[in-house]
mmCIF file of all heavy atoms in Angstrom:
data_model
loop_
_atom_site.group_PDB
_atom_site.id
_atom_site.type_symbol
_atom_site.label_atom_id
_atom_site.label_comp_id
_atom_site.label_asym_id
_atom_site.label_seq_id
_atom_site.Cartn_x
_atom_site.Cartn_y
_atom_site.Cartn_z
ATOM 1 N N HIS O 463 70.669 89.425 136.761
ATOM 2 C CA HIS O 463 70.074 88.502 135.781
ATOM 3 C C HIS O 463 70.213 87.065 136.287
ATOM 4 O O HIS O 463 71.241 86.693 136.837
ATOM 5 C CB HIS O 463 70.761 88.658 134.433
ATOM 6 C CG HIS O 463 70.079 87.895 133.345
ATOM 7 N ND1 HIS O 463 70.443 86.627 132.983
ATOM 8 C CD2 HIS O 463 69.016 88.221 132.575
ATOM 9 C CE1 HIS O 463 69.653 86.200 132.017
ATOM 10 N NE2 HIS O 463 68.779 87.151 131.737
ATOM 11 N N GLU O 472 79.898 78.903 139.977
ATOM 12 C CA GLU O 472 81.143 78.425 139.358
ATOM 13 C C GLU O 472 82.367 79.043 140.040
ATOM 14 O O GLU O 472 83.328 78.334 140.393
ATOM 15 C CB GLU O 472 81.121 78.783 137.877
ATOM 16 C CG GLU O 472 82.346 78.404 137.089
ATOM 17 C CD GLU O 472 82.148 78.723 135.622
ATOM 18 O OE1 GLU O 472 82.284 79.909 135.232
ATOM 19 O OE2 GLU O 472 81.860 77.815 134.845
ATOM 20 N N VAL O 499 76.741 69.042 134.336
ATOM 21 C CA VAL O 499 75.786 68.223 133.570
ATOM 22 C C VAL O 499 74.353 68.422 134.057
ATOM 23 O O VAL O 499 73.410 67.953 133.429
ATOM 24 C CB VAL O 499 76.156 66.716 133.609
ATOM 25 C CG1 VAL O 499 77.468 66.485 132.869
ATOM 26 C CG2 VAL O 499 76.253 66.194 135.037
ATOM 27 N N ALA O 501 72.051 71.573 136.432
ATOM 28 C CA ALA O 501 72.047 72.776 137.273
ATOM 29 C C ALA O 501 70.616 73.148 137.603
ATOM 30 O O ALA O 501 69.750 73.132 136.721
ATOM 31 C CB ALA O 501 72.721 73.940 136.548
ATOM 32 N N THR O 503 68.302 76.032 140.032
ATOM 33 C CA THR O 503 68.349 77.223 140.876
ATOM 34 C C THR O 503 66.941 77.672 141.227
ATOM 35 O O THR O 503 66.051 77.654 140.378
ATOM 36 C CB THR O 503 69.074 78.382 140.157
ATOM 37 O OG1 THR O 503 70.275 77.898 139.588
ATOM 38 C CG2 THR O 503 69.415 79.507 141.120
ATOM 39 N N TYR O 505 65.194 81.068 142.820
ATOM 40 C CA TYR O 505 65.482 82.470 143.095
ATOM 41 C C TYR O 505 64.481 82.939 144.150
ATOM 42 O O TYR O 505 63.271 82.927 143.916
ATOM 43 C CB TYR O 505 65.352 83.277 141.800
ATOM 44 C CG TYR O 505 66.264 82.731 140.713
ATOM 45 C CD1 TYR O 505 65.839 81.758 139.820
ATOM 46 C CD2 TYR O 505 67.579 83.162 140.624
ATOM 47 C CE1 TYR O 505 66.688 81.233 138.848
ATOM 48 C CE2 TYR O 505 68.442 82.646 139.652
ATOM 49 C CZ TYR O 505 67.983 81.682 138.773
ATOM 50 O OH TYR O 505 68.836 81.164 137.830
ATOM 51 N N ARG O 510 70.963 92.992 143.911
ATOM 52 C CA ARG O 510 71.108 94.241 143.169
ATOM 53 C C ARG O 510 72.583 94.580 142.978
ATOM 54 O O ARG O 510 73.459 94.027 143.626
ATOM 55 C CB ARG O 510 70.397 95.373 143.907
ATOM 56 C CG ARG O 510 68.930 95.065 144.156
ATOM 57 C CD ARG O 510 68.032 96.272 144.033
ATOM 58 N NE ARG O 510 66.707 95.839 143.562
ATOM 59 C CZ ARG O 510 65.753 95.282 144.321
ATOM 60 N NH1 ARG O 510 65.956 95.124 145.601
ATOM 61 N NH2 ARG O 510 64.608 94.917 143.794
ATOM 62 N N ALA O 559 88.449 69.692 122.235
ATOM 63 C CA ALA O 559 87.035 69.587 122.586
ATOM 64 C C ALA O 559 86.334 68.459 121.845
ATOM 65 O O ALA O 559 85.270 68.009 122.252
ATOM 66 C CB ALA O 559 86.334 70.914 122.319
ATOM 67 N N HIS T 1066 79.332 77.425 127.165
ATOM 68 C CA HIS T 1066 79.300 77.508 128.626
ATOM 69 C C HIS T 1066 77.873 77.221 129.131
ATOM 70 O O HIS T 1066 76.902 77.673 128.540
ATOM 71 C CB HIS T 1066 79.753 78.894 129.075
ATOM 72 C CG HIS T 1066 79.937 78.983 130.559
ATOM 73 N ND1 HIS T 1066 78.950 79.402 131.403
ATOM 74 C CD2 HIS T 1066 80.985 78.653 131.337
ATOM 75 C CE1 HIS T 1066 79.393 79.347 132.655
ATOM 76 N NE2 HIS T 1066 80.633 78.901 132.641
ATOM 77 N N GLU T 1075 65.737 82.060 127.377
ATOM 78 C CA GLU T 1075 65.118 83.380 127.493
ATOM 79 C C GLU T 1075 64.779 83.957 126.113
ATOM 80 O O GLU T 1075 63.661 84.450 125.885
ATOM 81 C CB GLU T 1075 66.095 84.307 128.230
ATOM 82 C CG GLU T 1075 65.623 85.724 128.406
ATOM 83 C CD GLU T 1075 66.631 86.503 129.243
ATOM 84 O OE1 GLU T 1075 67.676 86.941 128.699
ATOM 85 O OE2 GLU T 1075 66.401 86.665 130.447
ATOM 86 N N VAL T 1102 61.888 82.470 138.514
ATOM 87 C CA VAL T 1102 61.983 82.146 139.936
ATOM 88 C C VAL T 1102 62.529 80.740 140.165
ATOM 89 O O VAL T 1102 62.843 80.358 141.292
ATOM 90 C CB VAL T 1102 60.625 82.324 140.670
ATOM 91 C CG1 VAL T 1102 60.238 83.800 140.686
ATOM 92 C CG2 VAL T 1102 59.527 81.476 140.031
ATOM 93 N N ALA T 1104 64.887 77.653 137.755
ATOM 94 C CA ALA T 1104 65.445 77.209 136.470
ATOM 95 C C ALA T 1104 66.182 75.900 136.687
ATOM 96 O O ALA T 1104 66.941 75.757 137.657
ATOM 97 C CB ALA T 1104 66.403 78.255 135.909
ATOM 98 N N ASN T 1105 65.948 74.937 135.798
ATOM 99 C CA ASN T 1105 66.596 73.628 135.877
ATOM 100 C C ASN T 1105 67.087 73.253 134.484
ATOM 101 O O ASN T 1105 66.346 73.397 133.517
ATOM 102 C CB ASN T 1105 65.590 72.565 136.325
ATOM 103 C CG ASN T 1105 64.878 72.971 137.602
ATOM 104 O OD1 ASN T 1105 65.493 73.048 138.661
ATOM 105 N ND2 ASN T 1105 63.595 73.294 137.505
ATOM 106 N N THR T 1106 68.308 72.761 134.409
ATOM 107 C CA THR T 1106 68.830 72.350 133.102
ATOM 108 C C THR T 1106 69.613 71.061 133.249
ATOM 109 O O THR T 1106 70.359 70.879 134.215
ATOM 110 C CB THR T 1106 69.771 73.434 132.521
ATOM 111 O OG1 THR T 1106 69.139 74.696 132.630
ATOM 112 C CG2 THR T 1106 70.080 73.163 131.053
ATOM 113 N N TYR T 1108 72.290 68.894 130.930
ATOM 114 C CA TYR T 1108 73.146 69.022 129.761
ATOM 115 C C TYR T 1108 73.447 67.619 129.258
ATOM 116 O O TYR T 1108 74.055 66.823 129.974
ATOM 117 C CB TYR T 1108 74.413 69.780 130.146
ATOM 118 C CG TYR T 1108 74.108 71.135 130.762
ATOM 119 C CD1 TYR T 1108 73.933 71.294 132.134
ATOM 120 C CD2 TYR T 1108 73.929 72.245 129.954
ATOM 121 C CE1 TYR T 1108 73.607 72.522 132.690
ATOM 122 C CE2 TYR T 1108 73.605 73.489 130.504
ATOM 123 C CZ TYR T 1108 73.453 73.615 131.869
ATOM 124 O OH TYR T 1108 73.130 74.835 132.401
ATOM 125 N N ARG T 1113 78.765 73.455 120.261
ATOM 126 C CA ARG T 1113 80.018 74.106 119.892
ATOM 127 C C ARG T 1113 79.744 75.403 119.139
ATOM 128 O O ARG T 1113 78.648 75.639 118.658
ATOM 129 C CB ARG T 1113 80.860 73.152 119.049
ATOM 130 C CG ARG T 1113 81.130 71.840 119.773
ATOM 131 C CD ARG T 1113 82.487 71.271 119.507
ATOM 132 N NE ARG T 1113 82.928 70.525 120.678
ATOM 133 C CZ ARG T 1113 82.553 69.262 120.974
ATOM 134 N NH1 ARG T 1113 81.766 68.612 120.176
ATOM 135 N NH2 ARG T 1113 83.007 68.691 122.067
ATOM 136 N N ALA T 1162 63.022 99.152 140.576
ATOM 137 C CA ALA T 1162 63.375 97.811 141.043
ATOM 138 C C ALA T 1162 63.123 97.634 142.539
ATOM 139 O O ALA T 1162 63.029 96.512 143.025
ATOM 140 C CB ALA T 1162 64.834 97.518 140.710
#
Side-chain angles (χ1 to χ4, degrees):
Chain O
H463 188 266
E472 178 176 79
V499 293
T503 313
Y505 303 91
R510 304 217 149 79
Chain T
H1066 188 267
E1075 179 176 80
V1102 294
N1105 307 293
T1106 312
Y1108 304 90
R1113 303 216 150 81

